[in-house]
Amino acid sequence: MAAQVPLGAGLAMSDWYKGTDNVTFTYFGDGAANQGQVYEAYNMAELWKLPVIFVIENNGYAMGTSIKRSTKSVTFFGRGAAYGIEGEQVDGMDVLAVKAAGEKAVAHCRAGKGPYILEMMTYRYRGHSMSDPAKYRTREEVEKIKQEKDCIEHVRDLLTQGGLASEDELKAIDKEIKEIVNASAEFAKESPEPALSELWTDIYA
Ligand SMILES: Cc1ncc(C[n+]2csc(CCOP(=O)(O)OP(=O)(O)O)c2C)c(N)n1
Ligand SMILES: [Mg+2]
């Protein structure tokens, strides 16, 4: 948990060193955001003006714990101020707000101004994993968010109300995606185990 934060800063340092205009996005949760290595990475990233965007997915819960039980200062992006890193909170359930914030953060990095923090305010419907029964909240709370804030439904409304797609077209996309996912799952189940030589493929550390 959170190991990807210094790793992201390291990838950004590599891009800076090579003189590319790449920008690294490194994602972590509100639970992970309480780890010490995050702040070590913040310090080095700002000191060296690395082109890295720290994206905090603040869904209000870590594994087995609500942030109200685990965290004193719950405005996570604000902690960047201690290191001189700018940032902001974003409605992570609004695709257009997320896109705009991402573009702004990339422009910040490409202008050589160093890292940027985006705290995406979001929610997750399930526990962190099969070992998280999500007892820290009520079923009613989950249902309320599904009804009122679901990000996919929000896009659906944007597309249909804006006349960009019909309900039938969206249903056809849904069907196509389900087929791709099912076929991919079948392919994975039927495929042989990967060779030992693949052990380090796409592994950075
Ligand atoms: C150093 C460390 N401590 C504890 C864990 C166990 N663990 C895995 S995920 C998790 C909670 C993650 O919460 P958050 O970052 O909010 O992610 P979310 O599940 O909400 O996306 C914990 C405690 C871990 N992987 N690493
Ligand atoms: Mg979380």
Side-chain angles (χ1 to χ4, degrees):
M1 194 166 83
Q4 67 277 26
V5 180
L7 194 60
L11 292 172
M13 189 187 177
S14 156
D15 285 325
W16 165 81
Y17 187 75
K18 289 179 192 153
T20 75
D21 72 344
N22 290 345
V23 174
T24 300
F25 282 80
T26 182
Y27 293 77
F28 51 108
D30 46 277
N34 278 332
Q35 271 215 31
Q37 59 183 317
V38 171
Y39 303 94
E40 296 174 41
Y42 279 7
N43 180 51
M44 301 316 290
E46 178 61 31
L47 183 67
W48 292 335
K49 297 275 181 220
L50 300 179
V52 55
I53 298 164
F54 298 107
V55 183
I56 304 166
E57 294 165 339
N58 185 352
N59 56 22
Y61 300 99
M63 194 160 73
T65 319
S66 133
I67 59 171
K68 291 184 193 115
R69 281 188 69 208
S70 68
T71 305
K72 180 66 190 164
S73 157
V74 294
T75 315
F76 288 97
F77 85 93
R79 297 181 186 178
Y83 303 87
I85 306 179
E86 284 176 52
E88 62 192 279
Q89 243 172 20
V90 181
D91 181 354
M93 302 297 255
D94 177 346
V95 66
L96 296 181
V98 170
K99 181 171 186 284
E103 285 169 355
K104 180 178 167 186
V106 167
H108 178 94
C109 286
R110 292 218 167 113
K113 294 181 185 168
Y116 200 84
I117 301 172
L118 294 176
E119 180 180 359
M120 297 290 174
M121 307 309 285
T122 183
Y123 197 80
R124 65 163 149 69
Y125 296 144
R126 298 184 177 214
H128 171 85
S129 67
M130 61 194 287
S131 47
D132 175 6
K135 286 189 173 147
Y136 36 70
R137 61 187 178 187
T138 60
R139 224 170 254 184
E140 290 71 35
E141 178 187 302
V142 180
E143 281 312 308
K144 192 169 158 38
I145 305 264
K146 275 189 189 171
Q147 296 303 322
E148 294 175 8
K149 282 287 291 180
D150 186 87
C151 50
I152 307 283
E153 289 301 323
H154 175 66
V155 177
R156 185 187 295 277
D157 289 348
L158 282 177
L159 292 174
T160 51
Q161 285 163 19
L164 297 165
S166 69
E167 283 291 345
D168 283 348
E169 281 170 318
L170 295 181
K171 271 190 197 135
I173 293 173
D174 258 352
K175 188 164 171 279
E176 190 191 336
I177 291 170
K178 275 186 192 131
E179 283 164 8
I180 293 171
V181 170
N182 287 338
S184 307
E186 276 311 306
F187 174 76
K189 279 195 238 162
E190 284 166 8
S191 298
E193 292 284 325
L196 206 56
S197 58
E198 296 287 344
L199 197 61
W200 301 109
T201 305
D202 299 330
I203 303 288
Y204 287 103

